[in-house]
Amino acid sequence: PRLALGCGGAVVCEELGAVDGYGLDPEIWSSRRLEGVIDFAALDVAPSTRRGFAPSPAADAFFVALRGLEPRLRQILDEERARQREQEDAHLVREIRNVFRPLARTLPQYDFFDIQSTGRGGNGDAGPYGEQLGATTPPVEPGPAAETATPQGVLEPGEPGDGPTEPMLFPPGPLHSVRVMPARCRLLPGATRGLAARAADEQGRVVTAGIAFRWQVIEGDATLAGDGPKATVTAGETLGQTVVRVTACQDERVCEADAVIEVVETLAGESPDSGVPDPRRAFDPTSDWRSRVHEGRWEYNAAHPDYRAVADDARQRLRYLIHLFAKEIVLHNYGEPNDDRLLERMVQVLTHIKPAVTGKNRSRPS
């Protein structure tokens, strides 16, 4: 769509915003969001071509009047843009949930979130554990998870340190801390899942040599089987809280960590929202965060340069928000202090990868 300039019924300029020398705001007149023809009969138009017009007092007055309309037009366009963004956000919420809904069952080792939402715009109130979304330090209260029982056996927690590691110049130091992953989760009565303990030195490096682990249920109704750094816990039939404790010993050094398990009637993954909160747009141009938790809600920073780079492309914007929410899930389950900075850098790289270098667009070797 274009907004043209006419004179006496003839179009003298295909695009009004392209007229130079009169100080029109191109973000309004060339935005392609206005269309039609503005006809001003007093323009001095060449009789032969009927294209363009000569400068004149009438033309000057005409464009002064147009500039006077700009504040109101800008307001109208901003309101229309806000309505469009609201509709797009509602669509994004559905798309994000469609992407993550299967993960509550295909990746049951990951905790999801129990945050209430309005279904439009993400302004719902947080659930009882909503403030823990994206936390990188252990909270005082237990957080939510999406978990399910499986007839095939135990669900392994997917410990990140189980795979090959880079060689270290110096071996890790003595035992300094231990943590359980996941530190909090939800189970249906009778459901079973895996837990993993990670012992670390003072610098956070994994310690494996000379570590003995002991697992025990210190609160609640559950059956526990521990084997070294891994254990399986089966929830009892009583709803409520169960606390599993692991004790790591290395010579005279002893460290403890707890995992809190909520035995519940239903899981976040069984609800239509599947533990995926509404994304809420925030504007914070003075900060470099991409997504965060504020007052128990998941927010993304619409003023960040990475968001602005994808804001006009619905597919890229959806992919960007999917990456951000994946970051929050990883942080929620396995995050440690400062991990959020590293994961946000990963989101930055993924945001600027061009689709042309992947998939069917890649040239085949000869």
Side-chain angles (χ1 to χ4, degrees), residues 16-86:
L16 179 59
V19 177
D20 294 328
Y22 289 96
L24 294 181
D25 187 346
E27 293 186 1
I28 296 176
W29 305 105
S30 298
S31 64
R32 302 298 176 92
R33 298 169 64 196
L34 301 174
E35 61 179 319
V37 179
I38 296 180
D39 193 280
F40 184 61
L43 293 176
D44 186 7
V45 180
S48 57
T49 63
R50 302 295 293 175
R51 289 291 178 176
F53 59 92
S56 66
D60 293 340
F62 171 70
F63 284 99
V64 168
L66 289 184
R67 291 198 301 271
L69 296 174
E70 290 181 351
R72 177 54 182 157
L73 287 174
R74 187 178 294 108
Q75 180 183 0
I76 293 173
L77 292 177
D78 287 345
E79 291 172 353
E80 189 273 335
R81 185 184 292 112
R83 286 191 296 270
Q84 182 180 0
R85 290 296 191 191
E86 182 181 356

Side-chain angles (χ1 to χ4, degrees), residues 39 73 94 135 153 160 181 183 231 250 261 304 328 348:
D39 193 280
L73 287 174
R94 293 191 295 270
M181 293 181 289
Q250 184 187 52
I261 300 162
H304 194 282
E328 299 293 355
Q348 181 183 42

